[in-house]
């Protein structure tokens, strides 16, 4: 048997869907997961339960894997370097991944390569944050812990020096950024392989609610053609400069005066790319798997003029299966993706994809299904 074993660190839904994309290729997956109940641990046949923060656990897990890749960015950088020193292909590699792990490192590198960013610098205490605000034209400013944030946790909108105290309590370095007056958030998603082949997906619009991704529209409606090209070129250039392997999501702000600024980078399949499962010729998950194995990449082009993804968050009704009857009967083209997670209010438990020729209709169908599954509407 010559098929490679892909080692996936992290048992969340991204691992689950990456595994799913490897099945038609006959690939074998080995998973390092926190608990047997994790989303991917429920479906992958070879699961190791263990702590990714422990180097011995990682080393034992990596034995028998042909390549290691990730469902999250939280493996300590020094552990990744140790695995690389052991001769294990880690993809993306530690030198690239550190830019998705540490927002301070990311901002410094992007500034060095001339990628457009909000004005920013590391600040040492609330008084320094106030000094930054002064330099940036006054409060409010954004403060972020450089590591460990997700879904808006670890990000503060700060209006005064007093308010600037909170972010420093975690004991992690704090990055200050000008508060960008953006019209919307975009994502430029690309996939790059070790031999340097890269593909760019259409640039998408991503709509956040309470700091959590709610809706993704592919392609971003009425996005200027030149700006689309600029965003795709920027993502490809960042990937090449940082030697990224696999899927790279470049989260962007579109400003009122028609510019794009980089918000952050994710080096793994990303929520803004879930639409590709049903809306692109090759999904982000399939292309991520191809990239980490250094196989030729698949066509990233869309299958329909419009695809919309809506996340399904947990609501007050734990029985989402009951809602399938209505959703499937109402919309035979609807694609439901559930992660096998317990339904808790506000938790991402799945997403739906719809596609078609008419954006308003495609959006309405995705919105309706997500709301119905959550239980916020009943008809
Ligand atoms: P996370 O790591 O939690 O995803 P982000 O850095 O993406 O954190 O920030 C979360 C959200 O906060 C963004 O999606 C955006 O809406 C807002 N935000 C972050 N940085 C800025 C900024 N410099 N200006 C304005 N809004 C921002």
């Amino acid at each position: 048997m010559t098929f490679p074993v892909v080692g996936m660190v992290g048992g969340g839904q991204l691992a689950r869907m990456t595994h799913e994309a490897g099945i038609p290729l006959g690939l074998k997956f080995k998973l390092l997961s926190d608990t047997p109940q994790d989303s991917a641990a429920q479906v992958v046949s070879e699961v190791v339960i263990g702590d990714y923060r422990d180097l011995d656990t990682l080393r034992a897990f990596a034995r028998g894997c042909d390549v290691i890749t990730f469902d999250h960015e939280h493996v300590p950088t020094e552990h990744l370097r140790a695995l690389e020193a052991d001769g294990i292909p880690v993809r993306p590699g530690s030198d690239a991944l550190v830019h998705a792990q540490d927002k301070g490192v990311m901002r410094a590198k992007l500034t060095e390569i001339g990628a457009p960013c909000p004005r920013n610098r590391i600040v040492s205490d609330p008084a320094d944050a106030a000094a930054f605000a002064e330099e940036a034209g006054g409060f409010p400013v954004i403060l972020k812990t450089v590591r460990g944030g997700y879904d808006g946790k670890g990000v503060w909108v700060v209006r005064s020096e007093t308010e600037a105290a909170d972010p420093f309590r975690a004991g992690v370095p704090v990055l200050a950024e000008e508060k960008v007056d953006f019209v919307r958030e975009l994502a430029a998603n690309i996939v790059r392989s070790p031999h340097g082949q890269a593909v760019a997906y259409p640039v998408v619009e991503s709509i956040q609610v309470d700091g959590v991704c709610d809706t993704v529209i592919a392609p971003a409606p009425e996005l200027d053609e030149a700006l689309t090209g600029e965003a795709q070129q920027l993502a490809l250039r960042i990937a090449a400069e940082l030697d990224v392997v696999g899927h790279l999501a470049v989260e962007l702000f579109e400003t009122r005066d028609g510019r794009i600024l980089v918000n952050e980078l994710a080096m793994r399949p990303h929520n803004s790319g879930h639409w590709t499962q049903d809306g692109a010729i090759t999904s982000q998950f399939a292309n991520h798997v191809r990239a980490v194995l250094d196989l030729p990449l698949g066509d990233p082009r869309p299958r329909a003029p419009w695809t919309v993804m809506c996340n399904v968050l947990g609501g007050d009704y734990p029985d989402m299966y009951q809602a399938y009857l209505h959703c499937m009967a109402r919309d035979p083209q609807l694609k439901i993706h559930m992660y096998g997670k317990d339904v808790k209010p506000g938790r991402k438990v799945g997403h739906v994809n719809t596609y078609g020729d008419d954006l308003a209709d495609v959006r309405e169908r995705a919105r309706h299904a997500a709301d119905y599954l959550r239980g916020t509407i009943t008809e």
Side-chain angles (χ1 to χ4, degrees), residues 14-25 29 43 277 285 337:
L14 301 176
R16 180 179 171 116
M17 292 184 276
T18 306
H19 165 256
E20 180 189 357
I23 293 172
L25 302 177
F29 269 75
V43 295
Q277 286 175 304
F285 301 103
H337 299 266

Side-chain angles (χ1 to χ4, degrees), residues 52-366:
Y52 61 82
R53 287 163 296 200
D54 178 64
L55 181 55
D56 290 337
T57 302
L58 281 170
R59 281 205 159 113
F61 172 74
R63 249 175 261 133
C65 294
D66 293 289
V67 61
I68 299 285
T69 189
F70 311 92
D71 151 284
H72 59 68
E73 280 114 8
H74 305 314
V75 180
T77 316
E78 63 273 17
H79 291 359
L80 300 176
R81 295 204 205 286
L83 293 181
E84 287 168 334
D86 293 345
I88 294 153
V90 175
R91 290 176 174 165
S94 60
D95 287 343
L97 198 62
V98 69
H99 300 94
Q101 296 181 312
D102 188 309
K103 290 175 180 173
V105 175
M106 180 266 290
R107 283 288 178 231
K109 182 68 181 180
L110 292 183
T111 305
E112 183 193 313
I113 67 171
C117 290
R119 185 178 186 136
N120 70 89
R121 73 170 168 85
I122 297 287
V123 287
S124 53
D125 53 35
D128 196 21
F132 172 81
E134 188 90 350
E135 295 156 27
F139 284 109
V141 293
I142 306 282
L143 297 185
K144 301 178 176 182
T145 51
V146 295
R147 278 180 180 257
Y150 66 98
D151 284 352
K153 295 177 183 68
V155 176
W156 289 261
V157 182
V158 167
R159 289 180 183 76
S160 67
E161 185 174 329
T162 321
E163 276 185 25
D166 275 349
F168 292 93
R169 294 191 216 288
V172 179
V174 174
L175 178 74
E177 293 181 356
E178 81 180 89
K179 186 170 185 298
V180 178
D181 181 21
F182 59 82
V183 277
R184 57 177 168 174
E185 295 187 61
L186 306 171
N189 293 343
I190 67 101
V191 181
R192 183 174 177 272
S193 64
H195 72 277
Q197 189 191 4
V199 293
Y201 286 100
V203 176
V204 298
E205 176 174 348
S206 138
I207 300 162
Q208 327 285 318
V209 175
D210 298 331
V212 179
C213 174
D214 177 76
T215 301
V216 171
I217 306 173
E222 290 168 44
L223 182 63
D224 181 77
E225 212 174 299
L227 214 53
T228 299
E230 201 184 306
Q232 289 177 319
Q233 291 292 342
L234 177 64
L236 289 167
R237 189 159 73 80
I238 291 171
E241 296 263 11
L242 275 52
D243 198 18
V244 177
V245 169
H247 188 268
L248 169 71
V250 180
E251 295 179 23
L252 299 163
F253 298 124
E254 183 183 0
T255 65
R256 241 162 254 291
D257 55 356
R259 292 175 303 136
I260 47 168
L261 299 173
V262 178
N263 175 27
E264 69 168 346
L265 310 177
M267 293 179 199
R268 49 170 171 75
H270 190 253
N271 205 162
S272 63
H274 289 1
W275 70 275
T276 60
Q277 286 175 304
D278 303 298
I281 294 169
T282 316
S283 78
Q284 62 163 348
F285 301 103
N287 262 337
H288 184 77
V289 164
R290 289 179 185 219
V292 301
L293 292 169
D294 208 6
L295 291 168
L297 301 177
D299 192 336
R301 283 177 301 171
R303 291 175 186 266
W306 298 103
T307 304
V308 171
M309 188 253 15
C310 281
N311 276 328
V312 178
L313 302 187
D316 295 330
Y317 306 98
D319 185 7
M320 285 202 181
Y321 182 65
Q322 223 182 12
Y324 280 19
L325 188 61
H326 167 88
C327 291
M328 291 175 175
R330 183 181 194 263
D331 184 357
Q333 290 187 345
L334 178 72
K335 302 291 183 179
I336 301 175
H337 299 266
M338 283 290 166
Y339 309 150
K341 287 157 76 171
D342 285 341
V343 174
K344 290 187 191 147
R347 187 183 197 195
K348 279 184 202 168
V349 294
H351 66 270
V352 293
N353 286 332
T354 53
Y355 49 86
D357 300 329
D358 179 59
L359 177 57
D361 171 65
V362 174
R363 257 190 107 159
E364 189 281 329
R365 284 162 43 216

